[in-house]
Amino acid sequence: MGSTRSKLDDHVYESIAKYTELKRDDIIAWEQRFLQQCDPGSRTMNKEQFCKFYQELRPDENVKRLSENIFRAFDLDGDHGISFSEFLIAYVATTEAPLEHKLRYAFNVYDLDHNSMIDRAEVLFILRAMFQLLGMNDNQLHKYSYEQCADTIMKTLDINEDQCISKEEFIQGLLQDHFLQSLMNPFQNK
């Protein structure tokens, strides 16, 4: 990385290092890679830039459909742009964090309408996106339909039977059901 000086304040490095356990040189390398994707003079990525960057980070997976929702989950302050700090903390949290933290991010990815609940329509979106991520297409699902899978997921995770899955129901259900966890967690370790 040579003599390129980062524009992050020391306290930002300390915060990122504490949260991610990355060394300063690693953070600088990530920052430089991140800033290459931003418009000149900008220190944030818009949704299009982020989706392209995220797909480059996960080239062996078909994350195109999920990347827009991952952008929304990573945009911690809701300003429709992702700063380097937001990106690095969220990316590390979804790749190196404990499973429960990954599932919290996964819930935010799937909560499309931001109402802190996942309904059946969102479950259907999850299924299509995850099957695409896993490289499966509609023809490979001849035995079960998306509708049947959605019904099974709702029955399994919606403990209080209110036709919605809360964040806690989602996390606890996936912690207990390893098959659903492998299906619905886009932040799996390789």
Side-chain angles (χ1 to χ4, degrees), residues 18-21 54 70 73-74 76 88-110 167-168 170-172 174-175 181 184-189:
K18 181 179 177 182
Y19 186 79
T20 64
E21 299 181 8
Y54 194 77
I70 292 169
F74 281 20
L76 301 175
L88 191 59
I89 289 170
Y91 188 73
V92 170
T94 58
T95 57
E96 298 177 17
L99 178 58
E100 187 171 332
H101 292 276
K102 292 178 186 182
L103 294 177
R104 287 190 185 287
Y105 267 100
F107 181 89
N108 293 338
V109 169
Y110 301 136
K167 186 178 280 191
E168 288 309 310
F170 180 84
I171 292 167
Q172 293 307 311
L174 294 187
L175 286 173
Q181 181 187 126
M184 300 176 75
N185 180 10
F187 306 119
Q188 305 276 339
N189 284 340

Side-chain angles (χ1 to χ4, degrees), residues 122-155:
E122 290 166 319
V123 168
L124 286 169
F125 173 83
I126 294 168
L127 289 173
R128 287 186 177 94
M130 292 311 295
F131 285 144
Q132 184 181 29
L133 179 67
L134 296 170
M136 299 171 70
N137 60 38
D138 292 340
N139 295 334
Q140 292 171 307
L141 301 175
H142 55 78
K143 189 172 181 181
Y144 299 104
S145 71
Y146 287 117
E147 300 291 328
Q148 290 170 317
C149 288
D151 291 341
T152 300
I153 290 168
M154 291 300 294
K155 183 177 179 181

Side-chain angles (χ1 to χ4, degrees), residues 63-125:
V63 295
K64 184 175 184 176
R65 189 169 188 177
L66 282 177
S67 62
E68 289 186 18
N69 293 323
I70 292 169
F71 173 87
R72 183 178 42 75
F74 281 20
D75 181 13
L76 301 175
D77 62 8
D79 68 352
H80 305 288
I82 295 182
S83 69
F84 173 67
S85 298
E86 286 175 314
F87 163 75
L88 191 59
I89 289 170
Y91 188 73
V92 170
T94 58
T95 57
E96 298 177 17
L99 178 58
E100 187 171 332
H101 292 276
K102 292 178 186 182
L103 294 177
R104 287 190 185 287
Y105 267 100
F107 181 89
N108 293 338
V109 169
Y110 301 136
D111 181 16
L112 302 176
D113 59 8
H114 312 287
N115 69 348
S116 299
M117 303 295 274
I118 298 175
D119 62 24
R120 192 171 186 283
E122 290 166 319
V123 168
L124 286 169
F125 173 83

